[in-house]
Amino acid sequence: MLLGVNIDHIATLRQARYAASPEAHNVEPDLLAAASACERAGASGITIHLRADRRHIQDRDVFRLRASINTKLNLEMGNTPEILDIALRVLPEEVCLVPENRQEITTEGGLDAAGQMRALAPTVARLQKAGIRVSLFIEPDPRQIDAAHQLGVEIVELHTGAFANALGQPRADEIRRLHLAAVQARGLGLQVNAGHGISYANIGELRAVPHLAELNIGHAIVARAIFTGLESAVAEMLALMGGAQ
Ligand code: PXP
């Protein structure tokens, strides 16, 4: 099981102070240094979300990260012409299509791939034609997995938010949903990733889900990094992911 580290929140911290003066000589924290710390600690990729409102990651970050990282870049994006155009210029190894709503604190809910096939198909085709592997961030729902398969994407990223927020029986139910979804997706030949709300506390339970190829984790790692430093935070997560299938 591989780890992609979502470094959006490092940019959130930078923007809190330097949004109005991005070229200042004392801008910090440095996103490229953060990405390289994640790579040194064993991350297999760097994930960033270029949002329409540019609340954290900026356009120049995407281009500079593209040029500097040594692993792979996974660009999360909403399905809009503006961001698609940027993706086709940056050429990340992977694009993960996500729903995007301006008011949300972070991505809420999965992409409605089943309901948006017509809008998604041309975007998926253009990205794939450019050599980019496409992932859809979807709920662990059989209809959404079928839609992803029909769209011909390479990867599904199963939304683990409901699992992360649940306790007790509802949590066990979410693990079961994720398990069934992973089996279905893998059976259809899709790579199965997962993300959202994965933490040091819940990763152990998530390991019961089969076929997980890569996890995308942001908040928990960046939060822990405040106390331990980023390299340790990434290494610690990788150690907890360790014995998974
Ligand atoms: N995967 C996707 C598609 C996301 O949108 C996010 C949140 O930006 C994550 C993973 C990471 O979630 P978290 O920050 O809760 O680890």
Side-chain angles (χ1 to χ4, degrees), residues 163-212:
F163 152 74
N165 291 331
L167 287 172
Q169 187 56 43
R171 187 156 181 149
D173 294 344
E174 288 303 327
I175 283 285
R176 189 174 149 70
R177 277 212 315 150
L178 288 162
H179 190 124
L180 291 172
V183 168
Q184 179 191 355
R186 194 69 207 110
L188 291 168
L190 292 157
Q191 177 180 321
V192 186
N193 293 352
H196 206 95
I198 301 174
S199 70
Y200 298 86
N202 66 29
I203 179 68
E205 276 172 88
L206 199 63
R207 284 174 43 181
V209 177
H211 307 309
L212 293 179

Side-chain angles (χ1 to χ4, degrees), residues 40-230:
R40 276 198 305 278
S44 64
I46 302 298
T47 295
I48 49 174
H49 184 177
L50 184 65
R51 298 184 68 102
D53 63 11
R54 307 301 199 272
R55 70 171 70 153
H56 38 53
I57 297 294
Q58 306 298 303
D59 296 35
R60 66 192 293 264
D61 294 329
V62 185
F63 288 93
R64 291 175 72 223
L65 282 164
R66 164 72 297 176
S68 83
I69 66 175
N70 296 309
T71 52
K72 75 175 155 88
L73 181 63
N74 172 30
L75 179 66
E76 294 179 5
M77 53 174 267
N79 182 22
T80 67
E82 186 215 359
I83 308 286
L84 176 60
D85 178 63
I86 293 170
L88 292 171
R89 283 189 285 131
V90 171
L91 298 177
E93 280 82 3
E94 291 171 10
V95 156
C96 180
L97 292 168
V98 302
E100 199 176 298
N101 153 11
R102 270 175 194 277
Q103 304 306 324
E104 68 194 0
I105 293 172
T106 178
T107 313
E108 289 166 3
L111 187 69
D112 181 12
Q116 295 173 17
M117 299 259 291
R118 290 242 302 253
L120 288 167
T123 300
V124 170
R126 288 186 67 191
L127 290 166
Q128 289 178 329
K129 194 160 170 239
I132 300 168
R133 301 180 77 224
V134 181
S135 173
L136 299 183
F137 183 52
I138 55 173
E139 295 294 329
D141 168 344
R143 274 181 64 242
Q144 300 298 345
I145 291 160
D146 272 336
H149 175 60
Q150 283 177 49
L151 281 162
V153 297
E154 288 81 7
I155 309 165
V156 286
E157 180 170 327
L158 300 178
H159 195 311
T160 47
F163 152 74
N165 291 331
L167 287 172
Q169 187 56 43
R171 187 156 181 149
D173 294 344
E174 288 303 327
I175 283 285
R176 189 174 149 70
R177 277 212 315 150
L178 288 162
H179 190 124
L180 291 172
V183 168
Q184 179 191 355
R186 194 69 207 110
L188 291 168
L190 292 157
Q191 177 180 321
V192 186
N193 293 352
H196 206 95
I198 301 174
S199 70
Y200 298 86
N202 66 29
I203 179 68
E205 276 172 88
L206 199 63
R207 284 174 43 181
V209 177
H211 307 309
L212 293 179
E214 188 165 33
L215 304 181
N216 279 304
I217 308 180
H219 186 94
I221 288 176
V222 175
R224 180 151 305 198
I226 291 169
F227 300 101
T228 68
L230 195 48

